[in-house]
């Protein structure tokens, strides 16, 4: 499993700033955001229930449609549940997991029903914009992940407009028993250059491990 650190954002932003000095065009917005993922402290085991060596699985259309329908029902049930209680990680815990602090802060909040984790929202603000993830759980396993990548647009003068954020990438990932059954990717510009392959999806699940453990620990402390 690869480990990602937001401490590398400074290097990435430096490259972006250099590009921003040129007239804005599509190529100037292209960036490899590989190192922009939240890091895991050590090699904490994922609590997502994902199978080791995760690979996408091909299913008959009727089977996949049925599973996706059930996943959407889980999504709607969780988001409409008014009794879920929120638990957020404090700044010190986040910095310990990440290995530093993102330039524009970060937030990780878990939503629980009693002791059961139903949803996690993760938001991190590197210098170039904002990265967000939503994880939805059913019976202890991740069944759906929504990822959104936003960035500050290039101005006509060649700088960055820090008053606005534009969506550069959206990803929707559907899982069944730790296997990817469908992904829906939307790229709005060339800002995010990562390949959405098996390694990317594997890390998408593994990267929640330390956060999930910390959230569950906080729930235990509150008892």
């Amino acid at each position: 499993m690869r480990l990602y650190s937001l401490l590398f954002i400074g290097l990435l932003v430096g490259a972006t700033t250099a590009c921003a000095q040129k007239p804005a065009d599509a190529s100037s917005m292209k960036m490899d955001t590989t190192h922009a993922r939240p890091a895991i402290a050590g090699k904490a085991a994922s609590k997502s229930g994902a199978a080791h060596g995760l690979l996408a699985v091909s299913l008959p259309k009727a089977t996949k449609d049925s599973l996706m329908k059930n996943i959407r029902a889980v999504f709607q049930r969780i988001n409409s549940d008014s009794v879920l209680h929120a638990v957020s990680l404090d700044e010190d815990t986040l910095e310990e997991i990440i290995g530093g602090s993102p330039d524009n802060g970060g937030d990780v909040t878990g939503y629980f029903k009693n002791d059961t984790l139903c949803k996690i929202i993760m938001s991190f603000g590197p210098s170039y914009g904002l990265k967000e993830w939503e994880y939805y759980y059913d019976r202890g396993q991740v069944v759906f992940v929504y990822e959104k990548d936003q960035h500050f647009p290039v101005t006509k003068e060649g700088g960055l407009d820090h008053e606005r954020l534009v969506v550069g990438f959206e990803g929707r990932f559907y899982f069944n028993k730790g296997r990817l059954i469908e992904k829906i990717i939307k790229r709005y510009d060339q800002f995010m250059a990562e390949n959405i392959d098996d390694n990317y999806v594997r890390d998408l699940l593994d990267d929640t491990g330390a956060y999930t453990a910390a959230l569950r620990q906080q729930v235990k402390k509150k008892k």
Side-chain angles (χ1 to χ4, degrees):
M1 179 184 69
R2 294 178 299 171
L3 302 181
Y4 295 93
S5 174
L6 284 171
L7 293 180
F8 288 112
I9 293 301
L11 297 177
L12 295 176
V13 173
T16 306
T17 304
C19 290
Q21 302 307 313
K22 301 176 182 179
D25 55 27
S27 62
S28 69
M29 293 308 299
K30 186 174 183 180
M31 176 184 284
D32 182 353
T33 57
T34 299
H35 298 294
R37 284 177 181 275
I40 297 177
K43 292 189 177 181
S46 172
K47 302 296 183 179
S48 63
H52 179 70
L54 177 71
L55 294 173
V57 61
S58 179
L59 299 173
K61 185 178 185 304
T63 301
K64 183 172 71 174
D65 288 348
S66 177
L67 289 172
M68 290 178 65
K69 181 179 179 180
N70 290 338
I71 291 169
R72 289 176 177 131
V74 170
F75 175 93
Q76 293 175 356
R77 184 181 72 242
I78 290 174
N79 284 328
S80 62
D81 194 333
S82 60
V83 302
L84 297 181
H85 63 279
V87 176
S88 296
L89 298 182
D90 58 41
E91 185 176 347
D92 290 340
T93 301
L94 279 180
E95 289 188 3
E96 181 180 352
I97 294 174
I98 297 171
S101 178
D103 292 341
N104 296 313
D107 181 79
V108 174
T109 300
Y111 295 83
F112 290 80
K113 190 163 190 174
N114 299 321
D115 295 336
T116 301
L117 178 61
C118 300
K119 175 181 178 180
I120 295 178
I121 296 180
M122 303 183 0
S123 176
F124 293 91
S127 296
Y128 61 79
L130 180 66
K131 294 183 71 67
E132 299 171 285
W133 295 266
E134 294 181 13
Y135 290 80
Y136 292 81
Y137 295 77
D138 186 33
R139 301 178 183 179
Q141 291 190 330
V142 174
V143 293
F144 178 71
V145 179
Y146 172 69
E147 179 179 3
K148 182 166 68 172
D149 193 277
Q150 300 180 79
H151 58 83
F152 300 120
V154 175
T155 65
K156 293 180 179 179
E157 293 76 23
L160 295 178
D161 183 355
H162 289 88
E163 300 299 321
R164 292 196 302 127
L165 282 169
V166 295
V167 179
F169 170 89
E170 283 185 296
R172 292 171 172 83
F173 305 85
Y174 295 80
F175 297 91
N176 180 54
K177 298 179 180 179
R179 301 281 183 174
L180 178 70
I181 62 172
E182 182 65 283
K183 63 181 178 184
I184 301 173
I185 305 299
K186 293 184 178 180
R187 297 182 187 271
Y188 297 94
D189 54 35
Q190 296 182 328
F191 179 76
M192 183 172 173
E194 284 193 78
N195 292 323
I196 314 302
D197 54 15
D198 287 337
N199 288 330
Y200 185 98
V201 176
R202 188 180 299 116
D203 289 332
L204 191 68
L205 295 184
D206 288 346
D207 284 355
T208 63
Y211 301 104
T212 302
L215 286 168
R216 286 181 170 140
Q217 187 64 32
Q218 282 208 17
V219 170
K220 289 182 180 179
K221 288 181 179 180
K222 290 186 177 182
K223 284 189 173 183

